[in-house]
Amino acid sequence: MPKEFTVTPWKVEGEVDYNRLIKDFGTESVDEKLLQRIKKHTGELHYMLKRKIFFSHRDFSWLLDEYEKGNKFYLYTGRGPSGNTHLGHLVPWIFTKWLQDKFDAELWFQLTDDEKFMFSEKLELSETNRLAYENALDVIALGFRKGKTKIFADTDYAKTLYRQAIRVAKRLTVSTTKAVFGLTDSDSVGKHFFTSVQSVPAFLPSVLAGRNIPCLIPHAIDQDSHFRVTRDIVHKLGYYKPAAIHCVFLPPLTGPGGKMSASVAETAVYTTDAPEDVAKKIRKYAFSGGRDTIEEHRKKGGNPDIDVSYQWLRFFEEDDKKLEKIYHDYKGGKLLSGELKEILIEKLAKFLRKHQENREKARKELDKFVIKD
Ligand code: TYM
């Protein structure tokens, strides 16, 4: 009997079986052949590709066919501003930045302040809009290129977006939003409509340029339902189906499985958390794959595959050799759980200090990235 789990854009629950998602969602796995093809263009593979953190895709091979013909693609990704950015959100963005550099691609970054207003019981639009620009600082802090990166909050770019969203909405039925998202008759028409807005950046640059431009959307697998709808409809509108590449979820601190979620503060690390507080959270909450006693741990070794500190290092320690050593030392009992936690704490403290510095600098740069109409 397969274990039950749920993955939708608004809920991730249970132990996610990623191979089953590939089957259920009808995506393709990122295999060796595709990796070698990417490497031909990038020279090296990003660690998130080597480690299969990005494990699934739609039409990436087609995208490379087009690229090899000289038909360059742009990148599209986004954030639903319901709170501060957490480390999980950074995962697709760090990878997107690498893609931007390697393929010299433009990035369109959507901040869905409308979505988070319509889907939340308590958030006002003024708040989701404010959060949108707070979240934008995290995007800029990662080093995306000025002049090649357009960031927009839906309600401040509404004139342009709305004209295209209604073209999608006209072809989107309620039976589709029920079947794809699990929405019901009791959900607001706003919720049923919303996916039309998230579809727009997947073809807007083609509308503006007056010619079809391939699009690649990097994101975690939870957002895939949106783009199943998008691909179907934009194709009917005469545009390319967007390609996509999907990552697994950074687990919550209390792991081992599931998705880090912004709604449970103890289990998430936010980009705005002070490194000392992050250290406390990790020491207190990080799920350990270690043994009950030091003696037993030394003898039998720990289990890095369920240990959240190790899992997080897979997402944030770029150095393959260092990571491998940690894996073996932990599995062999040489490295204790507490010591492993300290390695993670040090890694994140270094990362967060730099990120927070860049984030403050980004305040002055915001208007060089943000587009409004
Ligand atoms: P949101 O704000 O829920 O998530 C932003 C991005 O982070 C990914 N993500 C994660 N990745 C790894 N580990 C996690 N624990 C984790 N949690 C979230 C999400 O998949 C997403 O890529 N509706 C969207 C905003 C949006 C969007 C887009 C996202 C608009 N257009 C295009 C991706 C691509 C949302 O609420 O994302």
Side-chain angles (χ1 to χ4, degrees):
M1 188 55 194
K3 280 205 211 114
E4 280 317 306
F5 60 91
T6 311
V7 175
T8 78
W10 303 289
K11 193 162 89 179
V12 174
E13 259 175 22
E15 196 69 36
V16 180
D17 177 345
Y18 290 103
N19 288 325
R20 216 175 99 198
L21 280 185
I22 289 180
K23 279 204 204 106
D24 291 356
F25 288 180
T27 66
E28 293 173 75
S29 67
V30 170
D31 60 13
E32 210 38 50
K33 198 167 146 217
L34 180 65
L35 290 179
Q36 289 316 317
R37 245 190 115 184
I38 295 173
K39 197 173 169 188
K40 224 174 72 196
H41 296 286
T42 57
E44 50 171 12
L45 285 178
H46 193 271
Y47 68 92
M48 290 188 191
L49 281 173
K50 281 191 269 187
R51 295 177 198 168
K52 296 283 161 76
I53 289 175
F54 278 84
F55 73 106
S56 154
H57 73 99
R58 291 184 185 274
D59 281 346
F60 207 117
S61 311
W62 164 81
L63 191 85
L64 290 176
D65 291 342
E66 290 302 311
Y67 186 77
E68 285 164 10
K69 285 188 243 160
N71 198 10
K72 282 176 69 173
F73 60 87
Y74 70 94
L75 295 157
Y76 159 40
T77 197
R79 159 82 180 130
S82 55
N84 287 330
T85 301
H86 65 54
L87 292 182
H89 302 130
L90 296 185
V91 173
W93 306 349
I94 289 170
F95 182 61
T96 303
K97 153 86 170 78
W98 181 80
L99 290 170
Q100 176 173 70
D101 289 343
K102 293 292 177 185
F103 290 95
D104 187 33
E106 191 170 82
L107 167 66
W108 288 68
F109 196 101
Q110 180 176 44
L111 296 157
T112 52
D113 57 344
D114 51 348
E115 174 192 14
K116 291 300 156 182
F117 169 61
M118 291 191 290
F119 278 80
S120 159
E121 311 244 304
K122 46 183 197 303
L123 288 171
E124 289 301 332
L125 185 56
S126 54
E127 180 61 0
T128 59
N129 185 260
R130 185 190 71 78
L131 286 166
Y133 294 106
E134 277 298 307
N135 293 170
L137 299 177
D138 292 297
V139 178
I140 298 169
L142 291 177
F144 286 101
R145 277 194 264 153
K146 240 177 274 167
K148 275 212 167 258
T149 306
K150 295 180 164 66
I151 303 178
F152 50 95
D154 287 344
T155 62
D156 292 328
Y157 195 46
K159 192 170 163 192
T160 305
L161 293 177
Y162 187 70
R163 288 195 170 125
Q164 304 308 323
I166 55 175
R167 296 174 70 199
V168 177
K170 189 172 176 176
R171 286 160 183 85
L172 175 66
T173 64
V174 172
S175 50
T176 299
T177 55
K178 282 183 180 173
V180 175
F181 299 107
L183 293 173
T184 67
D185 286 344
S186 331
D187 284 304
S188 70
V189 290
K191 287 187 185 178
H192 285 277
F193 170 77
F194 169 70
T195 194
S196 315
V197 184
Q198 188 153 325
S199 287
V200 174
F203 67 102
L204 180 63
S206 296
V207 175
L208 299 177
R211 66 183 171 86
N212 277 352
I213 312 174
C215 168
L216 172 65
I217 317 177
H219 59 90
I221 192 75
D222 59 338
Q223 298 291 316
D224 179 66
S225 332
H226 283 296
F227 302 118
R228 287 206 293 277
V229 173
T230 305
R231 282 165 55 86
D232 217 40
I233 296 183
V234 302
H235 185 63
K236 287 182 198 147
L237 291 173
Y239 303 103
Y240 292 134
K241 291 182 179 182
I245 184 155
H246 313 121
C247 64
V248 301
F249 303 115
L250 179 74
L253 255 191
T254 45
K259 177 184 94 152
M260 179 186 280
S261 159
S263 48
V264 197
E266 304 83 60
T267 74
V269 167
Y270 299 91
T271 59
T272 43
D273 283 351
E276 307 78 68
D277 295 335
V278 175
K280 278 188 212 143
K281 272 190 200 176
I282 291 173
R283 288 189 193 117
K284 187 160 176 198
Y285 295 110
F287 184 86
S288 161
R291 304 283 173 173
D292 291 343
T293 64
I294 295 185
E295 293 70 44
E296 202 192 343
H297 189 94
R298 292 269 185 237
K299 210 162 31 181
K300 296 187 182 152
N303 183 355
D305 300 323
I306 59 163
D307 189 286
V308 168
S309 300
Y310 177 76
Q311 291 308 314
W312 281 25
L313 284 168
R314 279 189 76 238
F315 287 81
F316 293 103
E317 174 53 71
E318 305 90 336
D319 188 328
D320 290 331
K321 285 214 180 77
K322 256 193 208 166
L323 189 71
E324 206 175 312
K325 183 165 176 354
I326 293 167
Y327 183 90
H328 289 297
D329 285 355
Y330 192 59
K331 212 174 161 85
K334 203 165 141 195
L335 192 67
L336 300 174
S337 289
E339 293 166 339
L340 177 55
K341 284 188 180 189
E342 293 309 312
I343 295 176
L344 175 68
I345 287 168
E346 200 182 308
K347 180 80 207 168
L348 289 184
K350 212 165 142 200
F351 173 82
L352 285 176
R353 270 192 212 106
K354 182 94 195 100
H355 185 82
Q356 287 166 6
E357 211 181 286
N358 290 343
R359 206 176 171 279
E360 282 318 301
K361 282 190 203 144
R363 286 188 196 279
K364 287 197 206 86
E365 304 264 274
L366 202 54
D367 59 351
K368 299 196 180 82
F369 286 89
V370 169
I371 53 172
K372 296 185 177 187
D373 64 8

